[in-house]
Amino acid sequence: QSFFDPRPSLNKGDVSALGSAQRTRAAMLTRVARTVTNAASAASVRPATMPAFSVPLQQRHKTAFSQKDKVHAQLMEQLRNAELQGWTPEQVKEALSMEVGSPGIWEQQAGVMKQVNELQLEVDEIYYNSPPGVLYEQALKHEAGSAIVSSGALAVKSGKKTGRSPLDKRIVFEEASADDVWWGKVNVKLEYKSFLTNRERAVDYLNLQPRLYVVDGFGGWDKDYRVPVRVITSRAYHALFMQNMLVPPTEEERVEFMTYGNKKPFVIYNAGVFPCNRQTDGMTSSTSVSVSFQRKEMVILGTQYAGEMKKGVFTVMNYLMPLMPKRELPPADRALPLHASANIGPANDVSIFFGLSGTGKTTLSADPKRALIGDDEHVWHP
């Protein structure tokens, strides 16, 4: 089982090479008026002409202008799309007969907004599981130094940090997980109060932003083992990165995120543009990456390097998987997380490549004669 989505991989450092047409089923949520523009595929993106949306008709975002303008804009857009998609007269008639704000769509959008508000975040705009074209546009508009390179990838600036900050990572010392963590130089203890201080600082920063980006996805493919993850960030590049990393939810699974279903998602608060307070107990620099297993939360301050989010999910999986499917089972009957790549041959033969970061796992697993399972992290389970 691969932790992450094994689609075309990423360049490391300041350049994120991200798929251009991976998700087209989400829209921006907003409390302010915005103009609805034509839909277009992310593959045809150009900085000056990028559309605001690229989602199915019934999921189009409805803006907050007058009801009359809203209805008119929706009908005109439906007609334009009907023409582009070659709809039959019956399909056009059905689309035009839909009520503005179909209950399921409005409920889903309101659900995301409500849940974000419950996390003490109040902002004007939320971009939820937005398609790559929208996130490209947002990065180009609002993130200095962003550009589309000749390959079509989005090049971004991650600030001073161009790699992870392992010396600034902390695990909250909590009774429920205290005996399960190997404490030491790698897993450094952080007091719960300090975590809450950092969390409040991150939330305060995010609340000052004009817009936030929310990504829902899964760490892992197997439904019995995967972990639901919600990323909240102020940078479009971070959202694009994590949409490429996490396994995207289906329409039905996205509803589970709205209701929390059987599992509350692990929430990543990425306020990495803003530093932590060096005077907070347990801090050694202006960077802090802290995880609370009990609260199912991760807080990032002082680093804009996107890989911290990915490794945060890896940390959670490394903690949870050895306890799956049941803690009381002997180790041989529980799951084993692996920092490894894997591919499979035509005879159903699997090769696993172990190694530390930068030792060639991705390169070795990218064999044109074999199918890629994943290039970094996996779980071996009974």
Side-chain angles (χ1 to χ4, degrees), residues 94-150:
E94 181 181 358
L96 293 179
S97 67
M98 291 191 305
E99 295 183 7
V100 176
S102 301
I105 305 307
W106 282 108
E107 287 172 5
Q108 186 182 86
Q109 293 181 348
V112 176
M113 190 71 78
K114 179 176 182 292
Q115 287 181 354
V116 172
N117 290 345
E118 287 174 353
L119 297 174
Q120 300 175 344
L121 291 168
E122 294 279 354
V123 294
D124 288 335
E125 294 179 357
I126 295 176
Y127 288 77
Y128 174 66
N129 275 21
S130 299
V134 173
L135 298 175
Y136 265 56
E137 179 186 35
Q138 289 293 303
L140 293 168
K141 278 186 175 181
H142 306 297
E143 299 177 10
S146 299
I148 298 177
V149 298
S150 59

Side-chain angles (χ1 to χ4, degrees), residues 299-310:
V299 174
I300 300 174
L301 290 163
T303 173
Q304 299 174 56
Y305 181 70
E308 294 290 4
M309 295 178 288
K310 172 195 170 187

Side-chain angles (χ1 to χ4, degrees), residues 9 40 109 126 158 181 184 231 252 278 282 349-350:
S9 60
Q109 293 181 348
I126 295 176
S158 63
V181 178
V231 179
E252 295 74 20
R278 293 170 178 264
D349 54 311
V350 174

Side-chain angles (χ1 to χ4, degrees), residues 31-47:
R31 294 194 185 93
V32 298
R34 291 180 65 88
T35 303
V36 179
T37 61
N38 294 338
S41 70
S44 63
V45 161
R46 293 293 182 274

